Amino acid sequence: MPQPLQSKEASLFRSLVKFYESKQHKKGLKAADQVLKKYPKHGDTQAMKALILNAQGHGEEAFELAKEALKNDMKSHVCWHVYGLLWRSVKNYEEATKAYKFALKIEPDSQNILRDLAHLQCQIRDYEGYIDSRRKMMNARPQLRQNWTGLAIAYHLSGNYKEAEHILKTYEETLKQTPPKSDLEHSEAVLYRNTIIAESGDTERALEHLESILKNNLDRTAVLELRAKYLLQLGRKEEAEKAYRALLDRNTDYRAYYDGLEQALGLDRTNEASFKRLTELYESYASKSERIDAPRRIPLDFLKGDAFKAAADQYLRRMLNKGVPSTFPNIKALYVDSEKKAIIEELVLGYASEKQMNGSADGKTNGDTSDRFEKSVLYFLAQQYDYVLSRNLEKATEYIDRLLEKDPKSVDYNQIKARIWKHYGDTQKAADTMNHARELDLKDRYINTKCAKYQLRNNENEKALDTMSKFTRNETVGGPLGDLHDMQCMWYLLEDGEAYMRRGKLGLALKRFTAIADIFETWQEDQFDFHSFSLRKGQIRAYVDMVRWEDHLRNHPFFTRAALSAVEIYIRLFDHPDLAKEHPELDKLEPSERKKALKKIQKEQEKARKAEADRRAAAQAKATAKGDDGEAKKPDTDPQGETLLRTKEPLEAALRFLIPLLELSPRNVEGQNLGFQVYLRRRKLLLALKCLLAAIELDSENPKVHGNSVLLRSHLNNLKEPLSPAVADAIKQDFTSPPANADLAALKAFNDDFLKKNSKSPAHLQRGYNVRFHLDPNTKSQNETDLQKLLDLEGTTLQQAAEGIKLLQEWKSDEKKVEAYREAVAKTWPQAAMFQKK
Amino acid sequence: MAEPQPSNVQEGASTPPAPLPTGTAEDRKAAAALSSLDAPSEDTDSPAKKEVDTKALGEAMKQLSVAKGGGEKRKAVKIEAGDVALLVSELELPKLKATELLRAHDGNALEAIRSFIAPAFSSVALRT
């Protein structure tokens, strides 16, 4: 129980609470100190003081004080509530939930505590608890519709559709009269109820319910789309056709509606018999307006042969005549079909060879001579020969050069030129050309970012940041880079990190990847306010969508990319702990020279630190070092990522990236392979096997899968202590290739078989040589020779050649060998910048 | 797809729209204020809407509480503490999950492990 206060202090305490609520922190602290002077052990006051301290940014002090308050008064709900609030402010939702539960036990009627608890339970997806809290809230205030909807959401999210619908229905039935049509909350709530019915699988009833609310619902698009979908699912095709036609009248460029309409009409794209009707259908929509693209483009997906040729001709001429620059990107999806690729190529080459290119089929010329058609055709061809499925870089260069001669100031043309250089492997020229393109339009942020990206691809981090700084808010704490972090500019952080990784600056690379993980954490936390806000707005369907999206948030490609790189770095740090040393190159020097070098380095660091401090001071003087939300920003304590680099437990640190990767993107073979590597090093054989089995299931021919299988078998052969029987049995039953009795010799033979079987695939052979090396280091020179021979193998790509250098480094090959290999690569790919002599 | 246009851009307008207020910080403040507004609105007695029938609500509540109750009973399975510890250390599962996994396989550790390491992708949403 709270300790009693005398009336003077009691009123002081009340004003303290008021001061906190109105954010008058200084006054609040003064009032708190006055109470504490007389009652130094008054828990509630201490707790309130802690809360104010926390709001002022003294987090650690606040926690100390709150703990002391709890010690003084374990039975005060105020103390527990404050403790929960503090945990919540540092985003530790589990601990906060516990504290709130204690507070609620002491004060079961407090709606404030109950509400906070409910939101936390939803945040950590404790649906059982959430249902419970929501029910209590509804019992306390049944007159608020929100409370009913909230309980329904709780049931819905936990998968109990029946109960969720029941709650919504019960509330609706208590309404004396139907709310007016303009009642947005009602409109959303009934539609929400409808989606629940549909999700429970009862489409028939969902349709029936939908028909009853159809007329008055405010979200027209949603009702119409749902109706069409239900009708189609129920096989009521005629009505579905009408519904989809109504939708198409609202938006003629939405592919999903055309798909629905096709199904409703019973048209099958794989069946040539329906081509005629399909074509007619799309023609009828195309004829409605000159401006619609979809019905003109879609038929190209299914038409074949001459019909395709005619349609493609018409489509291409129309687009090229208009000079639509996105024509090729619009078309390129068709190139997976080699027949279509050939037809399009032939058509467009035909346009190029027409005497005077003007695009009209019958060769008439318009009065004003425009070379728009000609330029579009050349632009199309340049992009086409740059595209991966139809690549011919010489031809691409020829076309783009012709265009650049005509119009050297075009941003688009220069951009394509840069991309061609990139595909040649000449990152330097690519970055320079892109920079030239940028200079042609200094106000366009798009080309600016492209330029920065190409500079990063060329490992020019500082230059790229300078480019980006032309469009960032540079008075932010931390300068342009700080702004890019604030604005969650993930593409930049990723590319920056990858560039640092290529340059061997692992600390900075880790720092960027960690920043990505932090941003995803922020996204995860961003939903917190919406557990209450969405209910108040009544936009429940959008809220449920958001909650479900948050559940698989980290399967986003941005996260996957950062995670793959970060885990790889952590594995490297585990294998070579000296990478974390500041100056590994010093170890090679003589002691006396080392001292000198060390001194020099220290001096430089001192200088850099001073410059940094000066810069920061200047920035602080210029602008208030406050973020937009008024919170003071802490300066970065580890700008070079050295703390990250020097972690004692790299494999544990890798788990932050690895676990979401394996859980949410399980179909990423690369992720499974890395997971195997991490778990094997952590001696968690079952988890390693789980990754291996998943990788085999996904792609049993993956070259790394072979290497990992052999690795696991040889690891099992050399175990120091026996496994526990259940683990051993599980491994025995699920891990069969290479066979359990395979000793070293058998493993070698197994690997030789693999090499023989894949004698045409460079990637497989590289892995095989690596396995051979690890099974028997004596084969090193043989491996080196074989690796070099791969360069002559047909189909070897530049990336695979680069992989070879990595292997040579892994084997610690002689520098001469590496150099010879590099020279051989440089001869085959003369433009590739990374293989030129430095 | 093109990005949505700012609301003050109108198709066919001859003059370019006035630039958006640069004080975007203001907008963010407004958004922050909106999301912290919820406390009073959910809490204070907002005058209940006219059509709310308190009597009917009371009835409905009673019915709900009758309908509630009766959960599923858990299977009684004997679970060895050693097995739980093994799963916790080898599969890095929390204790609760390890127990659940064992219970789902009638306390058979080998079966539990094998089902855990078997690849299963269907349950996860695919990004296309």
Side-chain angles (χ1 to χ4, degrees):
Chain A
M1 286 305 287
Q3 298 155 18
L5 294 169
Q6 277 180 13
S7 68
K8 188 184 157 214
E9 275 72 27
S11 74
L12 262 174
F13 182 76
R14 275 195 297 277
S15 58
L16 164 60
V17 175
K18 252 183 217 137
F19 286 140
Y20 169 70
E21 275 165 3
S22 55
K23 293 198 171 152
Q24 292 171 291
H25 293 152
K26 270 189 192 153
K27 283 189 188 169
L29 280 182
K30 215 168 134 194
D33 286 338
Q34 268 176 307
V35 180
L36 288 175
K37 216 154 84 189
K38 194 139 182 222
Y39 297 93
K41 298 221 155 194
H42 189 247
D44 287 5
T45 311
Q46 282 176 322
M48 284 309 295
K49 189 180 167 186
L51 207 51
I52 294 179
L53 285 174
N54 190 50
Q56 287 180 322
H58 307 292
E60 279 173 34
E61 234 176 290
F63 263 96
E64 288 288 311
L65 193 59
K67 271 181 203 160
E68 206 187 309
L70 265 179
K71 235 182 262 164
N72 288 332
D73 202 346
M74 282 285 276
K75 290 201 168 145
S76 149
H77 72 271
V78 176
C79 293
W80 280 111
H81 192 174
V82 165
Y83 198 50
L85 279 169
L86 290 184
W87 277 123
R88 200 185 93 175
S89 72
V90 294
K91 328 251 179 206
N92 188 334
Y93 299 118
E94 275 80 9
E95 285 301 319
T97 314
K98 277 186 212 160
Y100 277 114
K101 277 188 181 157
F102 273 111
L104 201 62
K105 237 183 240 166
I106 298 164
E107 186 82 5
D109 295 330
S110 164
Q111 288 301 303
N112 269 334
I113 302 178
L114 187 58
R115 194 188 58 228
D116 283 355
L117 174 65
H119 297 161
L120 283 169
Q121 285 167 328
C122 192
Q123 179 80 8
I124 59 173
R125 307 290 191 262
D126 169 14
Y127 291 130
E128 290 302 308
Y130 189 49
I131 291 175
D132 210 42
S133 301
R134 275 288 168 197
R135 184 173 282 278
K136 279 187 199 148
M137 286 167 83
M138 194 189 76
N139 284 336
R141 284 173 194 280
Q143 65 274 33
L144 276 182
R145 179 171 206 159
Q146 284 170 24
N147 286 340
W148 290 77
T149 319
L151 181 58
I153 293 174
Y155 276 120
H156 182 203
L157 290 176
S158 76
N160 189 340
Y161 299 108
K162 208 175 132 210
E163 195 66 21
E165 194 208 333
H166 182 58
I167 303 278
L168 289 172
K169 192 171 138 219
T170 313
Y171 180 82
E172 271 176 47
E173 280 166 358
T174 67
L175 297 172
K176 269 187 220 154
Q177 69 238 24
T178 359
K181 198 183 160 189
S182 59
D183 188 339
L184 188 65
E185 192 183 5
H186 181 72
S187 164
E188 284 290 319
V190 291
L191 206 49
Y192 176 53
R193 188 178 147 204
N194 187 264
T195 53
I196 293 181
I197 302 175
E199 271 181 39
S200 72
D202 194 347
T203 316
E204 189 84 44
R205 203 156 57 82
L207 180 61
E208 219 170 276
H209 176 249
L210 189 70
E211 301 277 3
S212 71
I213 61 170
L214 187 64
K215 243 166 94 188
N216 286 327
N217 207 283
L218 292 168
D219 191 343
R220 297 303 297 156
T221 314
V223 246
L224 292 176
E225 281 181 357
L226 284 177
R227 183 160 175 272
K229 195 175 96 185
Y230 297 158
L231 285 169
L232 196 60
Q233 276 172 5
L234 293 171
R236 289 159 65 171
K237 300 218 160 152
E238 261 170 52
E239 286 161 280
E241 181 202 334
K242 255 188 221 150
Y244 275 113
R245 284 193 187 274
L247 281 166
L248 274 172
D249 289 340
R250 293 162 60 91
N251 179 0
T252 37
D253 264 323
Y254 191 31
R255 275 179 173 240
Y257 295 162
Y258 289 103
D259 292 344
L261 183 56
E262 276 182 31
Q263 284 180 43
L265 290 169
L267 296 172
D268 181 7
R269 284 184 178 193
T270 54
N271 181 358
E272 273 188 51
S274 46
F275 277 6
K276 196 165 157 253
R277 281 178 65 206
L278 274 170
T279 319
E280 275 168 14
L281 171 73
Y282 282 106
E283 263 169 14
S284 75
Y285 273 102
S287 64
K288 284 196 176 168
S289 160
E290 261 309 297
R291 308 180 67 161
I292 319 174
D293 182 62
R296 295 186 163 80
R297 168 67 183 77
I298 294 171
L300 302 185
D301 287 347
F302 57 82
L303 288 175
K304 285 193 182 79
D306 285 340
F308 173 79
K309 190 171 178 180
D313 185 37
Q314 204 184 5
Y315 184 79
L316 287 170
R317 278 186 190 274
R318 176 169 177 271
M319 301 295 267
L320 296 174
N321 252 329
K322 281 194 195 172
V324 178
S326 60
T327 307
F328 182 72
N330 263 348
I331 284 286
K332 70 181 178 190
L334 299 170
Y335 277 42
V336 284
D337 182 342
S338 55
E339 191 194 338
K340 290 186 180 179
K341 182 171 79 179
I343 293 178
I344 293 172
E345 192 176 346
E346 185 198 324
L347 277 173
V348 184
L349 282 176
Y351 303 155
S353 63
E354 275 170 28
K355 219 178 201 174
Q356 193 177 18
M357 282 195 252
N358 57 35
S360 66
D362 46 4
K364 262 189 259 170
T365 40
N366 264 337
D368 53 325
T369 47
S370 146
D371 59 353
R372 196 202 265 159
F373 183 72
E374 186 185 349
K375 276 188 186 168
S376 312
V377 169
L378 297 177
Y379 187 52
F380 187 99
L381 286 170
Q383 291 177 84
Q384 175 192 274
Y385 286 120
D386 186 44
Y387 183 51
V388 61
L389 291 178
S390 50
R391 185 163 294 166
N392 182 337
L393 294 177
E394 273 94 48
K395 280 193 189 169
T397 314
E398 186 194 315
Y399 284 113
I400 204 70
D401 283 347
R402 267 169 76 185
L403 279 169
L404 281 169
E405 218 167 275
K406 281 178 199 285
D407 187 358
K409 288 204 179 295
S410 160
V411 176
D412 292 347
Y413 300 162
N414 279 293
Q415 194 192 330
I416 296 297
K417 176 91 185 171
R419 189 181 293 162
I420 295 171
W421 281 126
K422 179 181 81 175
H423 290 146
Y424 266 127
D426 192 337
T427 47
Q428 182 64 51
K429 269 193 187 145
D432 291 346
T433 315
M434 201 54 107
N435 192 44
H436 176 63
R438 180 186 68 81
E439 280 164 354
L440 295 170
D441 189 353
L442 291 170
K443 287 182 178 169
D444 184 354
R445 188 176 193 156
Y446 168 77
I447 192 70
N448 185 271
T449 54
K450 275 277 175 202
C451 172
K453 180 168 156 181
Y454 273 58
Q455 287 167 338
L456 288 174
R457 290 282 168 93
N458 194 32
N459 297 349
E460 299 174 306
N461 303 65
E462 294 76 17
K463 221 170 168 183
L465 188 62
D466 189 51
T467 307
M468 290 303 282
S469 75
K470 293 173 171 50
F471 284 88
T472 51
R473 254 178 56 129
N474 297 335
E475 61 269 28
T476 330
V477 190
L481 192 62
D483 192 44
L484 291 168
H485 275 90
D486 279 0
M487 297 291 129
Q488 310 181 329
C489 181
M490 289 208 271
W491 77 261
Y492 182 84
L493 298 176
L494 260 175
E495 293 283 352
D496 201 33
E498 284 170 2
Y500 278 127
M501 195 169 158
R502 285 191 294 268
R503 289 171 61 184
K505 299 202 167 187
L506 299 185
L508 276 163
L510 269 185
K511 183 147 177 84
R512 299 289 176 268
F513 299 139
T514 309
I516 303 272
D518 289 343
I519 289 174
F520 273 92
E521 207 147 285
T522 312
W523 285 9
Q524 179 104 44
E525 277 152 15
D526 279 344
Q527 61 178 311
F528 193 86
D529 288 341
F530 291 87
H531 298 313
S532 57
F533 183 77
S534 297
L535 258 186
R536 194 151 56 78
K537 285 294 229 178
Q539 312 278 27
I540 308 305
R541 286 171 305 141
Y543 169 71
V544 172
D545 282 350
M546 178 200 70
V547 169
R548 290 177 173 170
W549 172 72
E550 293 278 5
D551 282 343
H552 58 86
L553 175 66
R554 285 178 179 78
N555 72 358
H556 193 282
F558 275 159
F559 185 85
T560 310
R561 250 176 89 186
L564 289 174
S565 298
V567 174
E568 202 186 312
I569 294 180
Y570 279 122
I571 292 178
R572 264 202 250 167
L573 283 178
F574 179 81
D575 292 349
H576 309 283
D578 48 321
L579 278 176
K581 273 195 205 155
E582 249 170 292
H583 306 288
E585 74 275 8
L586 289 184
D587 290 346
K588 288 180 200 149
L589 298 175
E590 297 287 311
S592 63
E593 283 190 40
R594 182 153 60 194
K595 227 178 197 175
K596 242 191 240 163
L598 206 62
K599 224 174 199 174
K600 198 175 151 204
I601 288 169
Q602 272 168 354
K603 229 180 196 171
E604 272 169 19
Q605 276 180 342
E606 193 58 37
K607 216 167 143 193
R609 217 168 285 152
K610 215 172 158 196
E612 171 69 11
D614 283 351
R615 203 190 54 73
R616 203 172 277 166
Q620 223 148 31
K622 214 165 79 189
T624 46
K626 278 190 174 179
D628 291 321
D629 37 9
E631 273 172 45
K633 286 228 176 105
K634 285 179 206 141
D636 192 348
T637 51
D638 181 24
Q640 300 294 313
E642 282 157 4
T643 326
L644 287 169
L645 196 60
R646 272 192 237 114
T647 172
K648 292 239 162 52
E649 298 177 317
L651 296 181
E652 275 65 32
L655 292 184
R656 182 187 182 194
F657 292 96
L658 185 64
I659 288 174
L661 181 67
L662 293 179
E663 214 159 273
L664 296 170
S665 316
R667 284 172 186 276
N668 190 312
V669 185
E670 207 44 39
Q672 298 288 359
N673 286 337
L674 279 176
F676 174 87
Q677 295 286 343
V678 170
Y679 284 126
L680 193 68
R681 282 169 174 76
R682 298 187 70 223
R683 302 186 187 291
K684 301 286 177 193
L685 294 183
L686 284 177
L687 289 169
L689 180 58
K690 183 177 165 69
C691 289
L692 183 62
L693 291 177
I696 292 172
E697 172 86 12
L698 290 168
D699 179 8
S700 56
E701 295 302 310
N702 186 297
K704 282 189 183 161
V705 167
H706 165 73
N708 288 346
S709 314
V710 175
L711 200 59
L712 182 61
R713 179 57 70 206
S714 72
H715 184 91
L716 286 169
N717 286 347
N718 299 319
L719 278 180
K720 295 243 161 58
E721 41 197 87
L723 301 163
S724 66
V727 176
D729 275 358
I731 292 179
K732 203 170 161 189
Q733 292 188 23
D734 286 323
F735 181 47
T736 50
S737 164
N741 58 3
D743 54 3
L744 189 60
L747 281 179
K748 277 183 195 166
F750 183 76
N751 188 48
D752 287 341
D753 272 357
F754 175 81
L755 286 173
K756 219 178 274 163
K757 211 172 85 191
N758 295 293
S759 60
K760 292 257 155 54
S761 158
H764 287 85
L765 290 173
Q766 282 179 340
R767 286 296 124 199
Y769 299 153
N770 195 31
V771 171
R772 195 164 66 187
F773 172 76
H774 283 291
L775 288 176
D776 180 8
N778 290 330
T779 59
K780 188 166 155 184
S781 64
Q782 167 81 41
N783 289 324
E784 286 165 347
T785 323
D786 285 349
L787 195 62
Q788 183 134 1
K789 271 192 207 146
L790 284 187
L791 295 175
D792 305 327
L793 201 66
E794 201 166 324
T796 308
T797 65
L798 187 56
Q799 265 143 359
Q800 284 162 347
E803 193 65 31
I805 292 231
K806 271 196 210 158
L807 280 177
L808 288 174
Q809 280 159 354
E810 193 183 327
W811 302 340
K812 301 211 165 53
S813 288
D814 199 40
E815 265 177 47
K816 268 187 213 147
K817 286 260 167 62
V818 182
E819 182 59 21
Y821 184 85
R822 189 197 60 72
E823 264 171 28
V825 182
K827 221 191 263 165
T828 323
W829 287 275
Q831 286 94 349
M834 61 188 283
F835 293 105
Q836 298 313 310
K837 214 174 176 101
K838 304 239 160 66
Chain B
M1 279 299 286
E3 290 208 25
Q5 294 288 302
S7 55
N8 59 344
V9 172
Q10 293 221 331
E11 212 177 347
S14 53
T15 49
L20 284 169
T22 42
T24 42
E26 288 297 309
D27 300 344
R28 262 171 273 158
K29 266 185 210 155
L34 265 180
S35 46
S36 59
L37 254 181
D38 65 86
S41 92
E42 229 184 304
D43 202 38
T44 51
D45 269 287
S46 56
K49 283 183 195 158
K50 270 183 202 139
E51 64 264 25
V52 171
D53 182 345
T54 22
K55 212 168 145 195
L57 277 174
E59 292 287 308
M61 295 276 300
K62 260 184 224 155
Q63 289 209 330
L64 277 185
S65 48
V66 172
K68 198 197 161 197
E72 301 157 45
K73 274 195 190 141
R74 275 197 197 167
K75 259 191 292 179
V77 178
K78 193 161 180 266
I79 292 182
E80 300 281 336
D83 288 344
V84 176
L86 179 74
L87 260 59
V88 166
S89 90
E90 290 298 321
L91 303 179
E92 305 201 320
L93 289 171
K95 217 172 162 183
L96 208 71
K97 283 254 173 73
T99 319
E100 259 172 41
L101 184 65
L102 279 168
R103 177 166 289 135
H105 293 90
D106 298 331
N108 184 334
L110 177 63
E111 285 306 310
I113 290 174
R114 289 197 64 197
S115 87
F116 182 80
I117 60 174
F121 304 120
S122 50
S123 62
V124 178
L126 275 183
R127 180 179 289 279
T128 46

